[in-house]
Amino acid sequence: MKDPLLYEAKRVVVTGCASGMGEAAAKILVDLGAHVIGLDVKPTAVAVQQFVQVDLRDKSSIDAAVVAIGSGIDSVFSIAGLPGPPFSDLDTMLVNFVGARHLIESLVPTMTPGASVICTASNGGMGWQQELETLIPLAATEGFDAGKQWCEDHPEVIASGYAPSKKILNAWVAWRGAQLIETGIRLNCSNPGPTQTAMMPTFEEQSGKAIIDAFVGPSGRRSSAEEQAWPMVFMNSARSSYVAAEAIHVDGGFLGAMTTGQIDIAGILSKM
Ligand SMILES: NC(=O)c1ccc[n+]([C@@H]2O[C@H](COP(=O)([O-])OP(=O)(O)OC[C@H]3O[C@@H](n4cnc5c(N)ncnc54)[C@H](O)[C@@H]3O)[C@@H](O)[C@H]2O)c1
């Protein structure tokens, strides 16, 4: 079968294309024949058709990127992210949620029929379903400035940066994805487990290697960037046409083991 995932000539935006999962996704999409528009704050080595430098902390930078991208996008891969400290809680929320959402919402009005968006959350955002009362008001803020203001007004919610930024992504995808599918646009997110990328040394420094290892789960190993990129490529492909407002966990069985009591993460963490 030629072009089984139907990406040939599709106009696809990939954020975070300079490194890790975003770089892996951009390479795969170029290989699949898509017209890839790569976005990042740093230059990329991937042979994308168009590169647009953007700082997702900055509304005017995102607005300029939207103009450079133009209309008629088929798929967005929103992969760029910050790991939390040493970056501030606010910068982490801006890159991982507020800026990512502003870019996506700015592209939505001119997206093609059946278009798709995937966001990159994290297993570090587990438990978001129990915090919807707090998270939905942030999800419901309109636009970059209102989202940023909400974060500035709620330092206790965004404390530590990373986990709250991934919880709100899951909550927003469930909430907004259920609205967007009425227009035929699919919004989903992936929750990766520990993945060997440039971000990993920062996680190890922040939390300690033992905690990262505890989150590896029954597969017994970290994933590669490509192992995270492929499920996102599939979820965003036209072959996943009935998958919407969904959060998948690409974590080597961690969530399954935890849900069925085969991993006692609270117990492991309490002994550390
Ligand atoms: N590595 C892991 O273990 C892991 C686990 C779960 C989720 N994630 C998430 O996966 C996504 C990809 O991370 P990765 O592991 O490939 O890390 P990475 O550091 O290799 O890539 C992150 C990319 O985001 C870009 N970026 C950072 N700040 C930016 C900004 N202000 N504007 C635009 N781009 C910016 C970086 O330049 C970089 O290219 C992130 O959202 C991350 O939170 C990572």
Side-chain angles (χ1 to χ4, degrees), residues 16 18-21 40-42 54-57 79-82 95 120-122 162 166 192-195 197-200 203:
S19 179
M21 300 176 203
D40 206 297
V41 73
K42 294 185 302 198
V54 70
D55 186 341
L56 289 167
R57 294 170 301 182
I79 304 180
L82 288 178
V95 174
T120 316
S122 169
Y162 190 73
K166 299 305 187 180
T195 303
T197 66
M199 198 175 278
M200 185 46 83
F203 285 141

Side-chain angles (χ1 to χ4, degrees), residues 7-249:
Y7 275 108
E8 187 78 52
K10 292 277 170 69
R11 293 189 72 228
V12 169
V13 171
V14 182
T15 78
C17 67
S19 179
M21 300 176 203
E23 182 181 32
K27 273 188 200 153
I28 290 167
L29 289 160
V30 167
D31 286 350
L32 290 173
H35 177 107
V36 179
I37 304 167
L39 269 61
D40 206 297
V41 73
K42 294 185 302 198
T44 182
V46 183
V48 293
Q49 274 77 2
Q50 184 185 354
F51 175 72
V52 181
Q53 193 152 27
V54 70
D55 186 341
L56 289 167
R57 294 170 301 182
D58 178 355
K59 180 176 183 287
S60 58
S61 174
I62 300 167
D63 290 339
V66 169
V67 171
I69 291 166
S71 59
I73 290 301
D74 296 297
S75 289
V76 178
F77 291 76
S78 180
I79 304 180
L82 288 178
F87 301 95
S88 72
D89 297 343
L90 183 61
D91 277 356
T92 304
M93 289 297 287
L94 292 181
V95 174
N96 293 6
F97 174 63
V98 178
R101 179 185 67 166
H102 183 59
L103 175 72
I104 293 163
E105 291 284 19
S106 301
L107 296 173
V108 155
T110 68
M111 281 184 146
T112 57
S116 58
V117 180
I118 191 147
C119 297
T120 316
S122 169
N123 260 9
M126 279 186 313
W128 60 272
Q129 296 92 335
Q130 284 75 51
E131 296 177 31
L132 288 175
E133 210 175 309
T134 307
L135 297 171
I136 292 297
L138 171 55
T141 56
E142 279 185 28
F144 187 98
D145 291 336
K148 182 178 179 186
Q149 189 64 54
W150 192 99
C151 293
E152 286 171 341
D153 291 344
H154 295 82
E156 74 294 352
V157 177
I158 70 163
S160 89
Y162 190 73
S165 74
K166 299 305 187 180
K167 285 180 182 173
I168 181 60
L169 261 183
N170 273 292
W172 178 69
V173 163
W175 179 78
R176 186 70 175 127
Q179 299 167 356
L180 281 174
I181 193 59
E182 290 180 8
T183 68
I185 294 175
R186 299 183 303 105
L187 171 65
N188 294 293
C189 77
S190 178
N191 287 274
T195 303
Q196 205 56 45
T197 66
M199 198 175 278
M200 185 46 83
T202 312
F203 285 141
E204 286 181 343
E205 223 165 275
Q206 260 178 47
S207 322
K209 186 175 173 302
I211 290 197
I212 304 297
D213 288 348
F215 274 87
V216 157
S219 72
R221 65 177 179 85
R222 297 170 183 182
S223 77
S224 67
E226 288 72 22
E227 287 176 300
Q228 294 297 337
W230 272 109
M232 290 196 254
V233 168
F234 177 69
M235 289 270 283
N236 246 3
S237 80
R239 299 297 185 195
S240 301
S241 50
Y242 203 58
V243 184
E246 181 60 69
I248 55 160
H249 288 260

